[in-house]
Amino acid sequence: MPKSRSSLLTRRGLIAAGGALGLVAALTACGGSDSAKDGSGDKGTGAAASGPWSFKDDMGKDVTAKSTPKNIVAFTGTAAALHDYGVDVKGVFGPTKTADGKADVQAGSMDISKVEIIGNVYDEFNVEKYAALQPDLLVTNTWEKDSYWYVPEASKDKILKLAPAAAIGVGGDVSMDKALARTADLAKSLGADLNDKKAVDAKARFEAASAKLREATKANPGIKVLVGSGAADLFYVSTPATSADLKYFQSLGVEFVVPDKVEGGFFESLSWENAGKYKADVVLLDNRTGTLQPADLKAKPTWAEMPAVKAGQITPRVTEPIYSYEKCAQIVEELTKAIQNAKKVS
């Protein structure tokens, strides 16, 4: 994982890892097919068919297989997006099941009882379970160059020897609309019918929601939105510059608080004593498992004193969106409501 993202996760421990940094299971040498590197690539636009399969991923790699992959293992959020297109996976890694056995928010509409969970927290990936699934393809996201999201550095080489791997960009210069299009491309290559009514309606809903958000920002100008994430000792204020969702919302007119001491390209870490450094009218609060929610934050005096908090203008942020049009339409609709109803309090 590139240094900036790695340092982000180290400092953000509780936040990015959903509450805990797991230990990787004991690794054993596993045989398998090498990751394909020499395919011609179809740039992710071809439908599934018999014969060779290829997809040019967002690392610029031509990912190939002898036939359309069936035994797919994916990062939970990416698996949830594929599920919305009718492409199901055999196994998942990443936040999938909460401590009480319920589906994590990142599992979306998936039935988690029907997938093998080979890692449930950051840095946890059971290579033996992965090999036993006889994977044809590993799919995940990428935030920065050459980083496979939630694939541990310690075991990455063994993991990538077992099956081809494809990554969809969701950070850096990528905006939500592009991440959505590329995820749809991947789903199509794996057999999804993008002309299916459900898929067509979901994309239309997303586009309509985006138009309404643009209208809302014009109708209620000057509303400042702070993107925050709460941990026991720190409050993180995110920059809109490097996350696909925030970049897209900004393009539609949303005005974000931009922290002035961004670490690793993603956020500024504030002690709770300084959590009120930036004034805002709306707080978009990280909704991931393991992060502090409004009920947990009541005991933090600086939280309670924030103008947006006093006004009750707090909206959950889906920090790691499920990149299907269905799920992202819902996110845009919720943000639109928050902007429409917000009063200037900062």
Side-chain angles (χ1 to χ4, degrees):
M1 198 170 285
K3 184 177 287 185
S4 61
R5 191 65 183 174
S6 177
S7 60
L8 162 66
L9 291 165
T10 300
R11 289 192 303 272
R12 202 169 186 179
L14 176 69
I15 308 303
L21 294 179
L23 297 176
V24 178
L27 303 180
T28 58
C30 300
S33 59
D34 290 337
S35 297
K37 298 179 181 178
D38 300 321
S40 60
D42 65 354
K43 299 184 180 179
T45 58
S50 59
W53 173 89
S54 63
F55 180 82
K56 191 174 186 69
D57 79 351
D58 290 345
M59 289 186 180
K61 297 179 180 179
D62 291 315
V63 186
T64 65
K66 292 180 180 178
S67 60
T68 302
K70 299 299 181 185
N71 289 352
I72 303 167
V73 176
F75 168 65
T76 304
T78 315
L82 292 176
H83 174 81
D84 286 348
Y85 288 108
V87 178
D88 288 320
V89 305
K90 298 290 186 181
V92 294
F93 54 96
T96 307
K97 183 185 292 186
T98 59
D100 59 4
K102 295 180 181 178
D104 188 275
V105 293
Q106 294 191 57
S109 302
M110 282 194 302
D111 182 347
I112 63 172
S113 70
K114 294 182 178 179
V115 293
E116 181 76 34
I117 300 172
I118 61 176
N120 198 50
V121 296
Y122 186 76
D123 221 26
E124 178 182 83
F125 193 115
N126 191 313
V127 180
E128 289 178 312
K129 282 187 177 182
Y130 178 58
L133 291 173
Q134 299 182 307
D136 298 322
L137 179 69
L138 181 146
V139 181
T140 187
N141 293 333
T142 181
W143 287 82
E144 292 185 314
K145 184 180 179 182
D146 296 330
S147 68
Y148 291 97
W149 189 228
Y150 268 76
V151 174
E153 281 295 313
S155 52
K156 182 178 72 172
D157 290 345
K158 287 186 176 182
I159 292 166
L160 296 182
K161 284 180 180 178
L162 290 169
I168 299 296
V170 297
D173 294 332
V174 176
S175 185
M176 176 180 269
D177 52 344
K178 182 177 179 182
L180 281 165
R182 293 293 291 139
T183 304
D185 285 346
L186 176 61
K188 180 180 179 181
S189 80
L190 294 170
D193 180 4
L194 300 188
N195 292 318
D196 174 78
K197 185 178 187 303
K198 180 183 176 183
V200 171
D201 288 351
K203 186 174 183 180
R205 179 181 173 184
F206 173 77
E207 291 170 347
S210 298
K212 288 180 180 178
L213 178 55
R214 188 186 295 277
E215 292 170 5
T217 60
K218 289 180 179 179
N220 196 6
I223 296 298
K224 280 282 189 178
V225 178
L226 182 147
V227 182
S229 191
D233 299 321
L234 295 170
F235 184 62
Y236 301 92
V237 178
S238 293
T239 174
T242 47
S243 295
D245 59 332
L246 303 184
K247 285 179 72 70
Y248 185 63
F249 303 152
Q250 193 172 47
S251 75
L252 297 175
V254 177
E255 297 182 38
F256 287 105
V257 168
V258 179
D260 55 26
K261 294 183 179 178
V262 176
E263 304 166 31
F266 291 90
F267 59 84
E268 178 176 356
S269 304
L270 299 173
S271 66
W272 277 109
E273 290 79 5
N274 297 312
K277 176 179 178 180
Y278 301 105
K279 305 302 179 185
D281 306 297
V282 173
V283 172
L284 278 185
L285 187 67
D286 191 342
N287 78 332
R288 284 177 293 178
T289 302
T291 63
L292 300 184
Q293 299 306 305
D296 308 312
L297 292 168
K298 286 181 179 178
K300 306 287 187 184
T302 46
W303 168 259
E305 290 302 312
M306 291 181 185
V309 175
K310 282 185 174 182
Q313 296 180 169
I314 308 165
T315 296
R317 181 201 176 195
V318 182
T319 304
E320 292 185 54
I322 293 168
Y323 283 101
S324 70
Y325 286 105
E326 174 187 324
K327 295 298 189 293
C328 287
Q330 296 169 18
I331 293 171
V332 177
E333 288 164 355
E334 288 302 311
L335 180 56
T336 299
K337 290 178 185 177
I339 297 295
Q340 288 173 333
N341 297 329
K343 294 181 174 59
K344 186 71 180 172
V345 295
S346 63

